[in-house]
Amino acid sequence: DIQMTQSPSSLSASVGDRVIITCRASQDITTNLAWFQKKPGKAPKSLIYAASISQSGVPSRFSGGGYGTDFILTISSLQPEDFATYYCQQYYIYPLTFGGGTKVEI
Amino acid sequence: QISLKESGPTLVKPTQTLTLTCTFSGFSLSTSGVSVGWIRQPPGQALEWLALIFWDGNTEYSPSLKSRLTITKDTSKNQVVLTMSNMDPVDTATYYCVRRLKTIIRGFDHWIFSDPWGQGTAVTVSS
């Protein structure tokens, strides 16, 4: 199985801050990576796929990048509604695997 | 308008079999490139992929749970059913179903989970 490692596991930030979350795959997954936002009691929301392509309707402050084993999710200016847990997920090979999550808190 | 909704018991006893149904609308699971998957999240833990069923009936399972899982579809009813046998308290989680689509980017296939997801159904395993 491909292990997905996110860092940090949690971070504290303020509204307006630039936030960067990293995700490392245990083997090369080219750009077969997606990012999701998860809020308590809500379904996950798809943000990014193919490492850097935003899903329709996702605010432009969210961006993704990376290739191979190292990926980042950037929130350029944190908004109150962005406080949530973020997950990366590889879909290069089965089993599909998620990272452990990064909780973004005030 | 695309929607998915999970249904099933909220409480099951250890060793019992869980049956969850995903009822969807706005798309067809007989369309090439479409699949439906199940993902769960135990309380305070990360998301975990469980199973997928494709438009052509093919299936994929998490290897760690494969012996306990069965995913089937009823295209005429727009439903996908997941059964998980021999339930244990560690299986307590919120279970989500979600549509997965194939898209082609720079000549390569990308299979992506696509919003909206189902609202999720919370399952507790306890005697």
Side-chain angles (χ1 to χ4, degrees), chain B residues 69-90:
Chain B
L69 292 174
T70 303
I71 189 170
T72 59
K73 66 182 176 82
D74 186 330
T75 304
S76 65
K77 292 183 178 179
N78 281 351
Q79 290 182 332
V80 170
V81 175
L82 181 76
T83 61
M84 180 180 291
S85 63
N86 194 24
M87 292 291 284
D88 184 272
V90 300

Side-chain angles (χ1 to χ4, degrees), chain A residues 82-97:
Chain A
D82 301 336
F83 290 95
T85 301
Y86 294 85
Y87 293 92
C88 61
Q89 178 243 329
Q90 67 81 18
Y91 52 88
Y92 181 72
I93 196 170
Y94 296 106
L96 308 180
T97 47

Side-chain angles (χ1 to χ4, degrees), chain A residues 19-89:
Chain A
V19 169
I20 296 176
I21 299 168
T22 67
C23 177
R24 174 164 288 178
S26 60
Q27 67 183 72
D28 188 347
I29 58 170
T30 65
T31 60
N32 289 269
L33 183 105
W35 289 97
F36 300 91
Q37 179 191 67
K38 180 69 171 68
K39 296 180 179 179
K42 300 289 188 181
K45 175 181 170 59
S46 306
L47 297 176
I48 302 280
Y49 63 96
S52 62
I53 299 178
S54 295
Q55 289 273 13
S56 175
V58 172
S60 59
R61 62 182 179 273
F62 290 93
S63 64
Y67 184 93
T69 60
D70 294 308
F71 302 88
I72 61 169
L73 174 70
T74 301
I75 310 173
S76 60
S77 177
L78 198 66
Q79 297 302 301
E81 60 267 31
D82 301 336
F83 290 95
T85 301
Y86 294 85
Y87 293 92
C88 61
Q89 178 243 329

Side-chain angles (χ1 to χ4, degrees), chain B residues 82-127:
Chain B
L82 181 76
T83 61
M84 180 180 291
S85 63
N86 194 24
M87 292 291 284
D88 184 272
V90 300
D91 297 313
T92 294
T94 299
Y95 289 75
Y96 298 95
C97 64
V98 59
R99 183 179 59 143
R100 193 168 180 238
L101 303 177
K102 186 181 82 169
T103 188
I104 299 174
I105 301 167
R106 301 185 195 98
F108 292 95
D109 291 348
H110 286 260
W111 294 84
I112 59 174
F113 290 124
S114 181
D115 288 349
W117 295 48
Q119 63 190 19
T121 186
V123 178
T124 300
V125 184
S126 175
S127 55

